[in-house]
Amino acid sequence: MSAFSTRLSAVSEGVRIALDAVRANKVRAGLTILGIAVGVFVVVAISAAVHGINKSVEKDFASTGPTTFFVTRYPISFEACDGSDETCKWLRNPPLRSNEVEMLRRLSSVEAVGERLDWGAKVKYRDRELSQASVEGYSAEWTTIGAPDVYPGRAFTSAEARTGARVVVITTLMVERVFGELDPIGKTLLVNNVPFEVIGVYKDNSSFLSGGERPKAVMPVQALIRYVGARASNIGLAVKPRSNVSRDQVIDDVTAGLRGMRGTRPAEESSFAIITQDKLFETYNSIFGMFFLVMIALSGVGLIVGGVGVIAIMMISVTERTREIGVRKALGATRATILWQFLVEAATLTGIGGAIGLFVGWLGALLIRNFTPIDASIPPMAVVAALGASCVTGVLFGMLPASRASKLDPVEALRHE
């Protein structure tokens, strides 16, 4: 018999003995498997969620173009801010004004500057009402920068955006919630009791960052301010550079233009924030990276608990099978053979726990995908890591009892009762 066949036979025998031990000691083995399963479940579920969030974030940024950046009144990170003017200088930043927006649109390096304003309002059609729907105001550049697929109907025109016409484009989810089976095009939708004509419908490219798919209405930003009561001081800008100009050059042009209009001295900080997609990714990674590490640490606790259970159950197994070990050694089994057998048993126990945890984690990913805005999916490496971690846990924690079994004196083991 070849060495490979011998090793394969040893593995299959170890697996069989481990399964027999599970059947003979259901509670003891079950607790061990449970600890491993919980740890693997946490790894798989969190990996699926993070993988889905990453895809959602990538989709969110891809919809605006890789070079598009944002100009806002406030930065996205407020480190060392205790509420005072000294540590929170950004609180004194003035809002972005219409003359500043027009100046940016005249820059030769800029292709488009889109205004955006988020708000909430009550929407109603006949007897159907949403008490707090998301309402967003955009300038006419909405279709240039965001590129929504408006069908049926159309997006609002430049003239409608400039004059603040009472027109609105709604998401398919709002159609379902407010209009039901009716065709919404041409209907009058009350937004905070102000009539708006529905001119288009679009499928919201919902993502984790945008809060997922929800009933939403989009109207000209001037209409949102004039009729719905939104505050113009909250307007933010999306700036899309021309294709033949680098993003950094456009950022320099925008920064110089705004600082010049505001009379900012060279030694003074800018009274506005430039947020690039790199910065957004950095902020996102710092938040979810820490979250992921915490979850991995918690899963590690589960694996350790399972590992302690492996030591306990394998020590008991060694004690119960001392005479069997003595017989095998008397018949010529080496220390390496005994060691290998018990390690295979330990790895089998934790492997069962890993498989169960992987299955439950897959169910968890399905629940996350169906009931949250996160498009959770299990990356292949997470499967490999989960099963690998469970088997490695079995080997590491099974080493002590396996080593003890391999070192038993055959004569003393045969005398064991």
Side-chain angles (χ1 to χ4, degrees):
M1 183 180 292
S2 65
F4 175 76
S5 299
T6 303
R7 185 58 56 87
L8 183 62
S9 175
V11 170
S12 61
E13 182 182 5
V15 171
R16 179 184 59 78
I17 294 174
L19 294 178
D20 289 340
V22 171
R23 285 191 290 267
N25 307 280
K26 295 182 177 63
V27 175
R28 194 168 62 197
L31 292 175
T32 300
I33 291 171
L34 179 63
I36 300 295
V38 169
V40 171
F41 161 73
V42 173
V43 171
V44 171
I46 295 302
S47 296
V50 171
H51 186 63
I53 292 171
N54 286 338
K55 290 196 301 183
S56 178
V57 171
E58 291 173 4
K59 182 181 72 173
D60 225 22
F61 289 149
S63 66
T64 60
T67 60
T68 298
F69 60 91
F70 308 94
V71 182
T72 61
R73 182 179 181 181
Y74 303 129
I76 59 173
S77 57
F78 309 138
E79 295 90 350
C81 176
D82 60 8
S84 66
D85 288 346
E86 184 61 32
T87 58
C88 309
K89 296 179 180 179
W90 47 267
L91 286 173
R92 299 194 298 269
N93 289 355
L96 295 163
R97 304 296 184 186
S98 57
N99 60 335
E100 294 173 332
V101 177
E102 292 305 319
M103 178 274 297
L104 296 181
R105 286 176 175 149
R106 291 194 296 268
L107 293 175
S108 60
S109 57
V110 171
E111 179 178 336
V113 177
E115 299 172 75
R116 172 173 175 165
L117 181 56
D118 295 337
W119 205 248
K122 179 181 71 175
V123 298
K124 182 178 181 181
Y125 177 74
R126 294 180 180 173
D127 60 338
R128 294 194 177 188
E129 178 181 307
L130 296 177
S131 59
Q132 190 65 25
S134 174
V135 182
E136 296 177 356
Y138 287 92
S139 58
E141 290 79 6
W142 175 46
T143 54
T144 302
I145 297 176
D149 184 16
V150 180
Y151 183 83
R154 62 177 179 84
F156 45 82
T157 64
S158 298
E160 289 170 331
R162 186 172 57 255
T163 59
R166 289 185 296 178
V167 293
V168 66
V169 182
I170 61 177
T171 61
T172 52
L173 188 57
M174 180 170 283
V175 173
E176 295 174 10
R177 299 278 180 85
V178 178
F179 292 95
E181 299 297 325
L182 296 176
D183 180 6
I185 305 299
K187 300 291 192 303
T188 299
L189 181 70
L190 296 179
V191 182
N192 278 358
N193 295 320
V194 178
F196 282 79
E197 180 187 355
V198 178
I199 60 172
V201 176
Y202 77 104
K203 179 71 170 64
D204 187 16
N205 291 321
S206 58
S207 69
F208 177 80
L209 286 182
S210 61
E213 188 175 6
R214 60 198 190 282
K216 183 193 299 183
V218 173
M219 63 179 63
V221 66
Q222 294 303 320
L224 184 61
I225 295 170
R226 187 177 305 162
Y227 302 110
V228 185
R231 290 192 292 269
S233 58
N234 294 330
I235 284 179
L237 307 177
V239 180
K240 185 175 183 179
R242 293 192 182 277
S243 57
N244 59 344
V245 183
S246 70
R247 185 197 65 183
D248 292 342
Q249 177 61 50
V250 180
I251 290 176
D252 290 342
D253 293 345
V254 168
T255 302
L258 286 176
R259 286 176 65 90
M261 287 200 71
R262 296 185 172 191
T264 306
R265 297 176 180 176
E268 294 178 338
E269 294 183 6
S270 297
S271 57
F272 55 89
I274 300 288
I275 302 173
T276 63
Q277 297 193 27
D278 297 337
K279 180 64 176 176
L280 289 174
F281 266 121
E282 180 184 330
T283 303
Y284 159 76
N285 286 329
S286 65
I287 295 173
F288 283 95
M290 184 61 65
F291 172 73
F292 188 65
L293 287 177
V294 170
M295 291 299 102
I296 292 297
L298 291 178
S299 68
V301 172
L303 293 176
I304 291 173
V305 170
V308 172
V310 168
I311 294 178
I313 193 172
M314 294 305 296
M315 281 295 192
I316 295 172
S317 180
V318 169
T319 302
E320 291 176 344
R321 293 161 56 193
T322 300
R323 188 174 181 83
E324 174 197 327
I325 295 169
V327 171
R328 295 193 62 180
K329 281 198 166 187
L331 293 175
T334 63
R335 289 182 58 183
T337 302
I338 301 298
L339 182 70
W340 174 258
Q341 176 187 329
F342 279 89
L343 287 181
V344 170
E345 290 183 39
T348 301
L349 278 175
T350 54
I352 293 172
I356 294 173
L358 182 61
F359 176 72
V360 178
W362 173 73
L363 293 179
L366 287 181
L367 292 175
I368 293 172
R369 182 188 301 175
N370 292 328
F371 296 101
T372 73
I374 302 173
D375 185 20
S377 60
I378 301 176
M381 284 306 298
V383 176
V384 175
L387 294 179
S390 61
C391 291
V392 168
T393 300
V395 171
L396 291 178
F397 285 87
M399 185 62 71
L400 178 62
S403 176
R404 177 183 174 184
S406 68
K407 293 177 181 178
L408 287 175
D409 181 83
V411 176
E412 294 297 326
L414 286 170
R415 292 175 178 171
H416 182 78
E417 294 295 334

